[in-house]
mmCIF file of all heavy atoms in Angstrom:
data_model
loop_
_atom_site.group_PDB
_atom_site.id
_atom_site.type_symbol
_atom_site.label_atom_id
_atom_site.label_comp_id
_atom_site.label_asym_id
_atom_site.label_seq_id
_atom_site.Cartn_x
_atom_site.Cartn_y
_atom_site.Cartn_z
ATOM 1 N N ASP A 1 12.206 -64.627 6.849
ATOM 2 C CA ASP A 1 12.440 -64.713 5.405
ATOM 3 C C ASP A 1 12.407 -63.367 4.693
ATOM 4 O O ASP A 1 12.916 -63.244 3.570
ATOM 5 C CB ASP A 1 11.431 -65.669 4.752
ATOM 6 C CG ASP A 1 10.012 -65.139 4.819
ATOM 7 O OD1 ASP A 1 9.649 -64.560 5.862
ATOM 8 O OD2 ASP A 1 9.267 -65.304 3.842
ATOM 9 N N ARG A 2 11.845 -62.343 5.314
ATOM 10 C CA ARG A 2 11.726 -61.048 4.642
ATOM 11 C C ARG A 2 12.824 -60.098 5.113
ATOM 12 O O ARG A 2 12.971 -59.815 6.310
ATOM 13 C CB ARG A 2 10.352 -60.443 4.895
ATOM 14 C CG ARG A 2 9.220 -61.323 4.359
ATOM 15 C CD ARG A 2 7.900 -60.605 4.372
ATOM 16 N NE ARG A 2 7.916 -59.451 3.483
ATOM 17 C CZ ARG A 2 6.876 -58.624 3.336
ATOM 18 N NH1 ARG A 2 5.777 -58.825 4.041
ATOM 19 N NH2 ARG A 2 6.949 -57.611 2.516
ATOM 20 N N LYS A 3 13.613 -59.614 4.145
ATOM 21 C CA LYS A 3 14.783 -58.791 4.457
ATOM 22 C C LYS A 3 14.447 -57.519 5.230
ATOM 23 O O LYS A 3 15.150 -57.184 6.192
ATOM 24 C CB LYS A 3 15.538 -58.443 3.172
ATOM 25 C CG LYS A 3 16.884 -57.784 3.417
ATOM 26 C CD LYS A 3 17.665 -57.604 2.129
ATOM 27 C CE LYS A 3 19.021 -56.976 2.406
ATOM 28 N NZ LYS A 3 19.811 -56.800 1.153
ATOM 29 N N PRO A 4 13.391 -56.772 4.869
ATOM 30 C CA PRO A 4 13.083 -55.549 5.638
ATOM 31 C C PRO A 4 12.798 -55.837 7.113
ATOM 32 O O PRO A 4 13.232 -55.077 7.990
ATOM 33 C CB PRO A 4 11.832 -55.006 4.932
ATOM 34 C CG PRO A 4 11.903 -55.552 3.546
ATOM 35 C CD PRO A 4 12.510 -56.909 3.697
ATOM 36 N N HIS A 5 12.087 -56.943 7.391
ATOM 37 C CA HIS A 5 11.804 -57.304 8.780
ATOM 38 C C HIS A 5 13.076 -57.736 9.504
ATOM 39 O O HIS A 5 13.279 -57.406 10.682
ATOM 40 C CB HIS A 5 10.770 -58.429 8.829
ATOM 41 C CG HIS A 5 9.409 -58.009 8.366
ATOM 42 N ND1 HIS A 5 8.469 -58.899 7.912
ATOM 43 C CD2 HIS A 5 8.850 -56.774 8.267
ATOM 44 C CE1 HIS A 5 7.379 -58.235 7.564
ATOM 45 N NE2 HIS A 5 7.579 -56.947 7.769
ATOM 46 N N MET A 6 13.941 -58.471 8.793
ATOM 47 C CA MET A 6 15.215 -58.890 9.375
ATOM 48 C C MET A 6 16.053 -57.667 9.743
ATOM 49 O O MET A 6 16.614 -57.587 10.848
ATOM 50 C CB MET A 6 15.971 -59.780 8.399
ATOM 51 C CG MET A 6 17.353 -60.225 8.864
ATOM 52 S SD MET A 6 17.295 -61.431 10.207
ATOM 53 C CE MET A 6 17.004 -62.943 9.244
ATOM 54 N N GLU A 7 16.151 -56.718 8.820
ATOM 55 C CA GLU A 7 16.961 -55.523 9.068
ATOM 56 C C GLU A 7 16.399 -54.698 10.223
ATOM 57 O O GLU A 7 17.153 -54.146 11.027
ATOM 58 C CB GLU A 7 17.040 -54.685 7.792
ATOM 59 C CG GLU A 7 17.870 -55.344 6.691
ATOM 60 C CD GLU A 7 17.893 -54.529 5.409
ATOM 61 O OE1 GLU A 7 17.069 -53.583 5.288
ATOM 62 O OE2 GLU A 7 18.724 -54.834 4.533
ATOM 63 N N ALA A 8 15.081 -54.628 10.313
ATOM 64 C CA ALA A 8 14.445 -53.862 11.393
ATOM 65 C C ALA A 8 14.756 -54.489 12.750
ATOM 66 O O ALA A 8 15.087 -53.789 13.721
ATOM 67 C CB ALA A 8 12.942 -53.790 11.165
ATOM 68 N N LEU A 9 14.679 -55.818 12.842
ATOM 69 C CA LEU A 9 14.973 -56.507 14.102
ATOM 70 C C LEU A 9 16.443 -56.370 14.476
ATOM 71 O O LEU A 9 16.786 -56.148 15.642
ATOM 72 C CB LEU A 9 14.580 -57.981 13.991
ATOM 73 C CG LEU A 9 13.075 -58.265 13.985
ATOM 74 C CD1 LEU A 9 12.804 -59.727 13.640
ATOM 75 C CD2 LEU A 9 12.449 -57.910 15.332
ATOM 76 N N CYS A 10 17.324 -56.515 13.491
ATOM 77 C CA CYS A 10 18.762 -56.370 13.758
ATOM 78 C C CYS A 10 19.074 -54.969 14.268
ATOM 79 O O CYS A 10 19.892 -54.797 15.187
ATOM 80 C CB CYS A 10 19.564 -56.661 12.490
ATOM 81 S SG CYS A 10 19.604 -58.408 12.025
ATOM 82 N N HIS A 11 18.435 -53.977 13.691
ATOM 83 C CA HIS A 11 18.647 -52.587 14.128
ATOM 84 C C HIS A 11 18.250 -52.426 15.595
ATOM 85 O O HIS A 11 18.957 -51.776 16.383
ATOM 86 C CB HIS A 11 17.831 -51.636 13.254
ATOM 87 C CG HIS A 11 17.882 -50.207 13.707
ATOM 88 N ND1 HIS A 11 18.995 -49.403 13.536
ATOM 89 C CD2 HIS A 11 16.947 -49.436 14.355
ATOM 90 C CE1 HIS A 11 18.764 -48.208 14.054
ATOM 91 N NE2 HIS A 11 17.527 -48.205 14.552
ATOM 92 N N ILE A 12 17.127 -53.015 15.979
ATOM 93 C CA ILE A 12 16.664 -52.924 17.369
ATOM 94 C C ILE A 12 17.608 -53.658 18.306
ATOM 95 O O ILE A 12 17.992 -53.142 19.365
ATOM 96 C CB ILE A 12 15.240 -53.492 17.497
ATOM 97 C CG1 ILE A 12 14.245 -52.640 16.706
ATOM 98 C CG2 ILE A 12 14.817 -53.559 18.970
ATOM 99 C CD1 ILE A 12 12.854 -53.247 16.594
ATOM 100 N N LEU A 13 18.026 -54.859 17.917
ATOM 101 C CA LEU A 13 18.849 -55.695 18.795
ATOM 102 C C LEU A 13 20.284 -55.207 18.905
ATOM 103 O O LEU A 13 20.981 -55.539 19.858
ATOM 104 C CB LEU A 13 18.830 -57.139 18.312
ATOM 105 C CG LEU A 13 17.462 -57.833 18.308
ATOM 106 C CD1 LEU A 13 17.587 -59.276 17.868
ATOM 107 C CD2 LEU A 13 16.815 -57.755 19.685
ATOM 108 N N ASN A 14 20.734 -54.432 17.929
ATOM 109 C CA ASN A 14 22.102 -53.896 17.986
ATOM 110 C C ASN A 14 22.300 -52.968 19.179
ATOM 111 O O ASN A 14 23.425 -52.649 19.538
ATOM 112 C CB ASN A 14 22.435 -53.150 16.684
ATOM 113 C CG ASN A 14 22.827 -54.099 15.568
ATOM 114 O OD1 ASN A 14 23.318 -55.202 15.824
ATOM 115 N ND2 ASN A 14 22.605 -53.692 14.327
ATOM 116 N N GLY A 15 21.203 -52.553 19.798
ATOM 117 C CA GLY A 15 21.311 -51.696 20.962
ATOM 118 C C GLY A 15 21.657 -52.433 22.242
ATOM 119 O O GLY A 15 21.944 -51.808 23.260
ATOM 120 N N PHE A 16 21.647 -53.784 22.191
ATOM 121 C CA PHE A 16 21.980 -54.582 23.376
ATOM 122 C C PHE A 16 23.485 -54.853 23.424
ATOM 123 O O PHE A 16 24.105 -55.147 22.402
ATOM 124 C CB PHE A 16 21.236 -55.914 23.351
ATOM 125 C CG PHE A 16 19.766 -55.808 23.662
ATOM 126 C CD1 PHE A 16 18.848 -55.592 22.653
ATOM 127 C CD2 PHE A 16 19.311 -55.918 24.968
ATOM 128 C CE1 PHE A 16 17.501 -55.489 22.929
ATOM 129 C CE2 PHE A 16 17.970 -55.810 25.259
ATOM 130 C CZ PHE A 16 17.056 -55.594 24.233
ATOM 131 N N SER A 17 24.057 -54.757 24.611
ATOM 132 C CA SER A 17 25.474 -55.087 24.763
ATOM 133 C C SER A 17 25.637 -56.588 24.966
ATOM 134 O O SER A 17 24.709 -57.263 25.425
ATOM 135 C CB SER A 17 26.075 -54.329 25.951
ATOM 136 O OG SER A 17 25.404 -54.685 27.153
ATOM 137 N N GLU A 18 26.797 -57.116 24.628
ATOM 138 C CA GLU A 18 27.135 -58.531 24.792
ATOM 139 C C GLU A 18 26.100 -59.447 24.120
ATOM 140 O O GLU A 18 25.677 -60.455 24.677
ATOM 141 C CB GLU A 18 27.292 -58.891 26.275
ATOM 142 C CG GLU A 18 28.469 -58.190 26.928
ATOM 143 C CD GLU A 18 28.780 -58.746 28.301
ATOM 144 O OE1 GLU A 18 27.958 -59.493 28.845
ATOM 145 O OE2 GLU A 18 29.856 -58.418 28.831
ATOM 146 N N VAL A 19 25.710 -59.055 22.940
ATOM 147 C CA VAL A 19 24.784 -59.859 22.140
ATOM 148 C C VAL A 19 25.383 -60.059 20.756
ATOM 149 O O VAL A 19 25.914 -59.122 20.153
ATOM 150 C CB VAL A 19 23.403 -59.166 22.013
ATOM 151 C CG1 VAL A 19 22.622 -59.722 20.845
ATOM 152 C CG2 VAL A 19 22.600 -59.352 23.295
ATOM 153 N N ARG A 20 25.328 -61.277 20.267
ATOM 154 C CA ARG A 20 25.806 -61.603 18.922
ATOM 155 C C ARG A 20 24.603 -62.087 18.108
ATOM 156 O O ARG A 20 23.894 -62.998 18.536
ATOM 157 C CB ARG A 20 26.898 -62.669 18.990
ATOM 158 C CG ARG A 20 27.661 -62.863 17.698
ATOM 159 C CD ARG A 20 28.991 -63.566 17.942
ATOM 160 N NE ARG A 20 28.834 -64.818 18.639
ATOM 161 C CZ ARG A 20 29.449 -65.143 19.779
ATOM 162 N NH1 ARG A 20 30.242 -64.298 20.370
ATOM 163 N NH2 ARG A 20 29.264 -66.325 20.342
ATOM 164 N N ILE A 21 24.361 -61.465 16.970
ATOM 165 C CA ILE A 21 23.166 -61.755 16.178
ATOM 166 C C ILE A 21 23.524 -62.628 14.978
ATOM 167 O O ILE A 21 24.450 -62.326 14.216
ATOM 168 C CB ILE A 21 22.514 -60.451 15.684
ATOM 169 C CG1 ILE A 21 22.141 -59.561 16.874
ATOM 170 C CG2 ILE A 21 21.280 -60.752 14.840
ATOM 171 C CD1 ILE A 21 21.737 -58.154 16.476
ATOM 172 N N PHE A 22 22.777 -63.714 14.817
ATOM 173 C CA PHE A 22 22.908 -64.579 13.650
ATOM 174 C C PHE A 22 21.600 -64.532 12.865
ATOM 175 O O PHE A 22 20.514 -64.480 13.458
ATOM 176 C CB PHE A 22 23.223 -66.017 14.076
ATOM 177 C CG PHE A 22 24.532 -66.151 14.792
ATOM 178 C CD1 PHE A 22 24.590 -66.127 16.179
ATOM 179 C CD2 PHE A 22 25.718 -66.271 14.088
ATOM 180 C CE1 PHE A 22 25.795 -66.237 16.846
ATOM 181 C CE2 PHE A 22 26.935 -66.380 14.742
ATOM 182 C CZ PHE A 22 26.977 -66.360 16.122
ATOM 183 N N LYS A 23 21.717 -64.562 11.536
ATOM 184 C CA LYS A 23 20.542 -64.410 10.678
ATOM 185 C C LYS A 23 20.333 -65.646 9.810
ATOM 186 O O LYS A 23 21.284 -66.200 9.271
ATOM 187 C CB LYS A 23 20.698 -63.173 9.786
ATOM 188 C CG LYS A 23 20.846 -61.874 10.558
ATOM 189 C CD LYS A 23 20.939 -60.669 9.638
ATOM 190 C CE LYS A 23 22.283 -60.592 8.932
ATOM 191 N NZ LYS A 23 22.412 -59.349 8.134
ATOM 192 N N ALA A 24 19.079 -66.056 9.688
ATOM 193 C CA ALA A 24 18.713 -67.161 8.790
ATOM 194 C C ALA A 24 17.434 -66.757 8.070
ATOM 195 O O ALA A 24 16.451 -66.384 8.699
ATOM 196 C CB ALA A 24 18.503 -68.450 9.573
ATOM 197 N N TYR A 25 17.494 -66.839 6.740
ATOM 198 C CA TYR A 25 16.339 -66.441 5.939
ATOM 199 C C TYR A 25 15.448 -67.627 5.563
ATOM 200 O O TYR A 25 14.379 -67.448 4.991
ATOM 201 C CB TYR A 25 16.797 -65.717 4.671
ATOM 202 C CG TYR A 25 17.345 -64.336 4.934
ATOM 203 C CD1 TYR A 25 18.714 -64.130 5.113
ATOM 204 C CD2 TYR A 25 16.500 -63.233 5.021
ATOM 205 C CE1 TYR A 25 19.223 -62.861 5.362
ATOM 206 C CE2 TYR A 25 17.000 -61.957 5.264
ATOM 207 C CZ TYR A 25 18.365 -61.783 5.433
ATOM 208 O OH TYR A 25 18.859 -60.524 5.686
ATOM 209 N N ASN A 26 15.913 -68.830 5.869
ATOM 210 C CA ASN A 26 15.123 -70.020 5.555
ATOM 211 C C ASN A 26 15.508 -71.153 6.507
ATOM 212 O O ASN A 26 16.417 -71.007 7.335
ATOM 213 C CB ASN A 26 15.318 -70.449 4.094
ATOM 214 C CG ASN A 26 16.784 -70.633 3.731
ATOM 215 O OD1 ASN A 26 17.504 -71.392 4.394
ATOM 216 N ND2 ASN A 26 17.245 -69.929 2.708
ATOM 217 N N VAL A 27 14.825 -72.272 6.372
ATOM 218 C CA VAL A 27 15.026 -73.413 7.267
ATOM 219 C C VAL A 27 16.443 -73.965 7.173
ATOM 220 O O VAL A 27 17.076 -74.272 8.186
ATOM 221 C CB VAL A 27 13.984 -74.509 6.971
ATOM 222 C CG1 VAL A 27 14.289 -75.764 7.777
ATOM 223 C CG2 VAL A 27 12.580 -74.015 7.300
ATOM 224 N N ASP A 28 16.966 -74.104 5.950
ATOM 225 C CA ASP A 28 18.312 -74.665 5.764
ATOM 226 C C ASP A 28 19.370 -73.806 6.450
ATOM 227 O O ASP A 28 20.289 -74.331 7.104
ATOM 228 C CB ASP A 28 18.634 -74.799 4.265
ATOM 229 C CG ASP A 28 17.824 -75.902 3.598
ATOM 230 O OD1 ASP A 28 17.330 -76.791 4.326
ATOM 231 O OD2 ASP A 28 17.674 -75.866 2.367
ATOM 232 N N GLU A 29 19.262 -72.487 6.297
ATOM 233 C CA GLU A 29 20.222 -71.593 6.941
ATOM 234 C C GLU A 29 20.102 -71.680 8.462
ATOM 235 O O GLU A 29 21.107 -71.613 9.175
ATOM 236 C CB GLU A 29 19.995 -70.152 6.476
ATOM 237 C CG GLU A 29 20.393 -69.909 5.018
ATOM 238 C CD GLU A 29 20.186 -68.463 4.607
ATOM 239 O OE1 GLU A 29 19.737 -67.653 5.451
ATOM 240 O OE2 GLU A 29 20.460 -68.137 3.442
ATOM 241 N N ALA A 30 18.888 -71.854 8.944
ATOM 242 C CA ALA A 30 18.672 -71.973 10.393
ATOM 243 C C ALA A 30 19.360 -73.210 10.953
ATOM 244 O O ALA A 30 20.034 -73.150 11.985
ATOM 245 C CB ALA A 30 17.174 -72.016 10.697
ATOM 246 N N TYR A 31 19.212 -74.337 10.262
ATOM 247 C CA TYR A 31 19.848 -75.573 10.733
ATOM 248 C C TYR A 31 21.370 -75.457 10.680
ATOM 249 O O TYR A 31 22.081 -75.994 11.539
ATOM 250 C CB TYR A 31 19.380 -76.766 9.905
ATOM 251 C CG TYR A 31 17.979 -77.208 10.234
ATOM 252 C CD1 TYR A 31 17.053 -77.476 9.237
ATOM 253 C CD2 TYR A 31 17.560 -77.356 11.558
ATOM 254 C CE1 TYR A 31 15.758 -77.866 9.535
ATOM 255 C CE2 TYR A 31 16.277 -77.745 11.870
ATOM 256 C CZ TYR A 31 15.372 -78.004 10.852
ATOM 257 O OH TYR A 31 14.101 -78.379 11.161
ATOM 258 N N TYR A 32 21.886 -74.748 9.681
ATOM 259 C CA TYR A 32 23.339 -74.557 9.586
ATOM 260 C C TYR A 32 23.831 -73.746 10.790
ATOM 261 O O TYR A 32 24.856 -74.079 11.402
ATOM 262 C CB TYR A 32 23.699 -73.832 8.295
ATOM 263 C CG TYR A 32 25.166 -73.465 8.207
ATOM 264 C CD1 TYR A 32 26.121 -74.431 7.870
ATOM 265 C CD2 TYR A 32 25.607 -72.176 8.486
ATOM 266 C CE1 TYR A 32 27.471 -74.105 7.815
ATOM 267 C CE2 TYR A 32 26.943 -71.849 8.437
ATOM 268 C CZ TYR A 32 27.875 -72.817 8.099
ATOM 269 O OH TYR A 32 29.200 -72.493 8.056
ATOM 270 N N MET A 33 23.117 -72.687 11.145
ATOM 271 C CA MET A 33 23.500 -71.871 12.298
ATOM 272 C C MET A 33 23.460 -72.690 13.585
ATOM 273 O O MET A 33 24.327 -72.565 14.454
ATOM 274 C CB MET A 33 22.579 -70.660 12.422
ATOM 275 C CG MET A 33 22.727 -69.640 11.316
ATOM 276 S SD MET A 33 24.375 -68.903 11.294
ATOM 277 C CE MET A 33 24.229 -67.832 9.853
ATOM 278 N N LEU A 34 22.461 -73.546 13.709
ATOM 279 C CA LEU A 34 22.334 -74.380 14.906
ATOM 280 C C LEU A 34 23.492 -75.361 15.036
ATOM 281 O O LEU A 34 23.900 -75.712 16.138
ATOM 282 C CB LEU A 34 21.011 -75.152 14.865
ATOM 283 C CG LEU A 34 19.763 -74.347 15.232
ATOM 284 C CD1 LEU A 34 18.516 -75.133 14.891
ATOM 285 C CD2 LEU A 34 19.766 -73.991 16.703
ATOM 286 N N SER A 35 24.009 -75.823 13.891
ATOM 287 C CA SER A 35 25.123 -76.775 13.917
ATOM 288 C C SER A 35 26.462 -76.092 14.193
ATOM 289 O O SER A 35 27.437 -76.747 14.538
ATOM 290 C CB SER A 35 25.204 -77.537 12.590
ATOM 291 O OG SER A 35 25.578 -76.675 11.527
ATOM 292 N N SER A 36 26.504 -74.767 14.038
ATOM 293 C CA SER A 36 27.761 -74.031 14.176
ATOM 294 C C SER A 36 27.871 -73.242 15.478
ATOM 295 O O SER A 36 28.979 -72.913 15.907
ATOM 296 C CB SER A 36 27.930 -73.055 12.992
ATOM 297 O OG SER A 36 27.806 -73.724 11.758
ATOM 298 N N HIS A 37 26.737 -72.915 16.108
ATOM 299 C CA HIS A 37 26.758 -72.052 17.285
ATOM 300 C C HIS A 37 25.726 -72.515 18.308
ATOM 301 O O HIS A 37 24.721 -73.126 17.959
ATOM 302 C CB HIS A 37 26.442 -70.599 16.891
ATOM 303 C CG HIS A 37 27.298 -70.067 15.795
ATOM 304 N ND1 HIS A 37 28.570 -69.585 16.008
ATOM 305 C CD2 HIS A 37 27.078 -69.953 14.460
ATOM 306 C CE1 HIS A 37 29.088 -69.193 14.861
ATOM 307 N NE2 HIS A 37 28.201 -69.403 13.908
ATOM 308 N N HIS A 38 25.999 -72.175 19.560
ATOM 309 C CA HIS A 38 25.011 -72.436 20.611
ATOM 310 C C HIS A 38 24.149 -71.184 20.736
ATOM 311 O O HIS A 38 24.655 -70.094 20.998
ATOM 312 C CB HIS A 38 25.688 -72.743 21.937
ATOM 313 C CG HIS A 38 24.717 -73.090 23.017
ATOM 314 N ND1 HIS A 38 24.049 -74.290 23.053
ATOM 315 C CD2 HIS A 38 24.278 -72.379 24.080
ATOM 316 C CE1 HIS A 38 23.242 -74.315 24.104
ATOM 317 N NE2 HIS A 38 23.368 -73.162 24.744
ATOM 318 N N ILE A 39 22.855 -71.339 20.556
ATOM 319 C CA ILE A 39 21.938 -70.204 20.545
ATOM 320 C C ILE A 39 21.249 -70.070 21.905
ATOM 321 O O ILE A 39 20.824 -71.060 22.494
ATOM 322 C CB ILE A 39 20.877 -70.371 19.431
ATOM 323 C CG1 ILE A 39 21.554 -70.574 18.063
ATOM 324 C CG2 ILE A 39 19.940 -69.166 19.402
ATOM 325 C CD1 ILE A 39 22.467 -69.450 17.634
ATOM 326 N N HIS A 40 21.126 -68.819 22.372
ATOM 327 C CA HIS A 40 20.531 -68.555 23.683
ATOM 328 C C HIS A 40 19.132 -67.951 23.582
ATOM 329 O O HIS A 40 18.407 -67.896 24.578
ATOM 330 C CB HIS A 40 21.432 -67.620 24.491
ATOM 331 C CG HIS A 40 22.834 -68.129 24.611
ATOM 332 N ND1 HIS A 40 23.895 -67.557 23.953
ATOM 333 C CD2 HIS A 40 23.341 -69.190 25.287
ATOM 334 C CE1 HIS A 40 25.010 -68.229 24.233
ATOM 335 N NE2 HIS A 40 24.698 -69.221 25.036
ATOM 336 N N LEU A 41 18.765 -67.470 22.403
ATOM 337 C CA LEU A 41 17.426 -66.908 22.181
ATOM 338 C C LEU A 41 17.085 -67.017 20.703
ATOM 339 O O LEU A 41 17.906 -66.695 19.843
ATOM 340 C CB LEU A 41 17.381 -65.440 22.624
ATOM 341 C CG LEU A 41 16.117 -64.650 22.269
ATOM 342 C CD1 LEU A 41 14.881 -65.255 22.917
ATOM 343 C CD2 LEU A 41 16.269 -63.175 22.660
ATOM 344 N N PHE A 42 15.868 -67.488 20.427
ATOM 345 C CA PHE A 42 15.383 -67.605 19.051
ATOM 346 C C PHE A 42 14.275 -66.589 18.801
ATOM 347 O O PHE A 42 13.347 -66.461 19.605
ATOM 348 C CB PHE A 42 14.813 -69.002 18.784
ATOM 349 C CG PHE A 42 15.818 -70.114 18.863
ATOM 350 C CD1 PHE A 42 16.024 -70.800 20.063
ATOM 351 C CD2 PHE A 42 16.552 -70.490 17.750
ATOM 352 C CE1 PHE A 42 16.941 -71.831 20.139
ATOM 353 C CE2 PHE A 42 17.479 -71.526 17.820
ATOM 354 C CZ PHE A 42 17.672 -72.195 19.021
ATOM 355 N N LEU A 43 14.368 -65.874 17.678
ATOM 356 C CA LEU A 43 13.278 -65.052 17.174
ATOM 357 C C LEU A 43 12.856 -65.682 15.847
ATOM 358 O O LEU A 43 13.645 -65.682 14.890
ATOM 359 C CB LEU A 43 13.716 -63.600 16.953
ATOM 360 C CG LEU A 43 13.601 -62.637 18.149
ATOM 361 C CD1 LEU A 43 14.456 -63.110 19.314
ATOM 362 C CD2 LEU A 43 13.981 -61.225 17.742
ATOM 363 N N VAL A 44 11.657 -66.229 15.784
ATOM 364 C CA VAL A 44 11.264 -67.062 14.647
ATOM 365 C C VAL A 44 9.960 -66.577 14.034
ATOM 366 O O VAL A 44 8.930 -66.489 14.727
ATOM 367 C CB VAL A 44 11.100 -68.535 15.071
ATOM 368 C CG1 VAL A 44 10.803 -69.411 13.857
ATOM 369 C CG2 VAL A 44 12.342 -69.042 15.798
ATOM 370 N N ASP A 45 10.001 -66.296 12.741
ATOM 371 C CA ASP A 45 8.777 -65.962 12.011
ATOM 372 C C ASP A 45 7.985 -67.247 11.778
ATOM 373 O O ASP A 45 8.546 -68.250 11.314
ATOM 374 C CB ASP A 45 9.134 -65.313 10.674
ATOM 375 C CG ASP A 45 7.918 -64.716 9.971
ATOM 376 O OD1 ASP A 45 6.801 -64.828 10.513
ATOM 377 O OD2 ASP A 45 8.095 -64.154 8.879
ATOM 378 N N ILE A 46 6.706 -67.240 12.113
ATOM 379 C CA ILE A 46 5.892 -68.438 11.921
ATOM 380 C C ILE A 46 5.778 -68.787 10.443
ATOM 381 O O ILE A 46 5.848 -69.950 10.059
ATOM 382 C CB ILE A 46 4.492 -68.237 12.543
ATOM 383 C CG1 ILE A 46 4.593 -68.294 14.074
ATOM 384 C CG2 ILE A 46 3.511 -69.302 12.052
ATOM 385 C CD1 ILE A 46 3.287 -68.079 14.798
ATOM 386 N N ILE A 47 5.639 -67.763 9.580
ATOM 387 C CA ILE A 47 5.499 -67.998 8.139
ATOM 388 C C ILE A 47 6.838 -67.718 7.479
ATOM 389 O O ILE A 47 7.265 -66.570 7.351
ATOM 390 C CB ILE A 47 4.413 -67.089 7.536
ATOM 391 C CG1 ILE A 47 3.074 -67.345 8.209
ATOM 392 C CG2 ILE A 47 4.299 -67.316 6.033
ATOM 393 C CD1 ILE A 47 1.971 -66.397 7.791
#
């Protein structure tokens, strides 16, 4: 949910090849992404 943390993680993950990053800032956005794409790894903030 926090933009600075999201940007920091995206910056780190952009170094991986053959990886596509999807972002969700809340539960509703997360469910929308799940309905549109098959996800192979989840990074989830507990809070």
